[in-house]
Amino acid sequence: MPRPFRLELGDGHFLAGDELAGDGPTYVFLHGLGSVRQGVKSTSLLAHAQRSGRAFVRVDLRGHGESSGTIGLVKPSALIDDVVRLLQRLGPSVVVGSSLGGLVGAMAAAACPQQVVGLGLLAPAFGLMNGLADRLDAHGQLRTSDGRSFPVAADVLADARAIDERSLPRRLAVPTLLVHGTADDVIPQQVSERFFQALTQPQKELWLVPGGDHRLADVADAIWPRLDALLAR
């Protein structure tokens, strides 16, 4: 069974997570905006890791769950830096990110390619950061896909606009699986299609799930064998 751990980040900040010992590379799961580390997809990946004898880690991003910080006050660049710190602690990893976790995981993989041997991006929220201000309501609140809303600080919006997503596909040098539902009403499938086309890494795959929603929970168990097969090519 996985055991809880805490990664100290300095200045009183930390990430709370669970880790399972096993063979490398480690599966690392990153959740979406407003979510937490313990969910359908991370639990499915944990079960896959247990069956395969692989190491596994999942964390609450800063501002979420049991980790420090407040959602809407944590800069996107800090989320990316946190994951880089985590990957440096773990060594070679396969990063799996859902929605915001996909964006953060991809940016972290580009920042420390020596620590990442593969990417699984599930309905990745590309375009979310650069267009974050446009998603706020009249009261400056951002609403998540599960109906939760929260204010977003001005410095967070400025930081989000500065995230360099345009060059990201060219900066990724690891095998990448993109999974996107054709019925996703949060992030359109065309976002993943464009990203896939822009990837210069030849070891890549795009799986468009017919009728799949943003959560992709119904197909979670089928994702991990696809990802393993891509990495084994």
Side-chain angles (χ1 to χ4, degrees), residues 84-105:
V84 169
R85 292 273 300 275
L86 175 67
L87 294 173
Q88 290 171 338
R89 171 186 181 270
L90 297 174
S93 300
V94 176
V95 177
V96 176
S98 175
S99 194
L100 173 64
L103 170 60
V104 170

Side-chain angles (χ1 to χ4, degrees), residues 135-218:
R135 291 178 175 258
L136 304 184
D137 64 18
H139 304 287
Q141 300 263 331
L142 180 66
R143 184 174 296 275
T144 66
S145 59
D146 62 0
R148 180 183 180 189
S149 61
F150 54 88
V152 181
D155 62 340
V156 173
L157 294 175
D159 186 81
R161 286 192 295 270
I163 298 293
D164 180 16
E165 289 189 39
R166 185 178 296 275
S167 69
L168 180 58
R170 299 191 302 274
R171 292 187 285 125
L172 287 175
V174 298
T176 302
L177 170 67
L178 288 114
V179 184
H180 215 113
T182 61
D184 190 330
D185 61 354
V186 179
I187 303 293
Q189 70 180 68
Q190 290 80 9
V191 169
S192 282
E193 290 176 324
R194 288 193 293 268
F195 191 85
F196 177 78
Q197 292 169 357
L199 282 171
T200 56
Q201 157 63 244
Q203 203 170 341
K204 60 181 181 177
E205 181 181 339
L206 171 63
W207 179 23
L208 295 177
V209 180
D213 62 9
H214 186 63
R215 291 174 55 81
L216 294 168
D218 293 343

Side-chain angles (χ1 to χ4, degrees), residues 1 19-27 49-50 52-57 90 92:
M1 294 296 294
E19 59 184 350
L20 176 74
D23 296 332
T26 302
Y27 292 117
Q50 289 173 317
S52 306
R54 292 276 293 278
F56 167 86
V57 164
L90 297 174

Side-chain angles (χ1 to χ4, degrees), residues 70-83:
T70 301
I71 192 169
L73 299 181
V74 181
K75 295 179 180 179
S77 60
L79 299 179
I80 297 165
D81 290 344
D82 292 350
V83 173

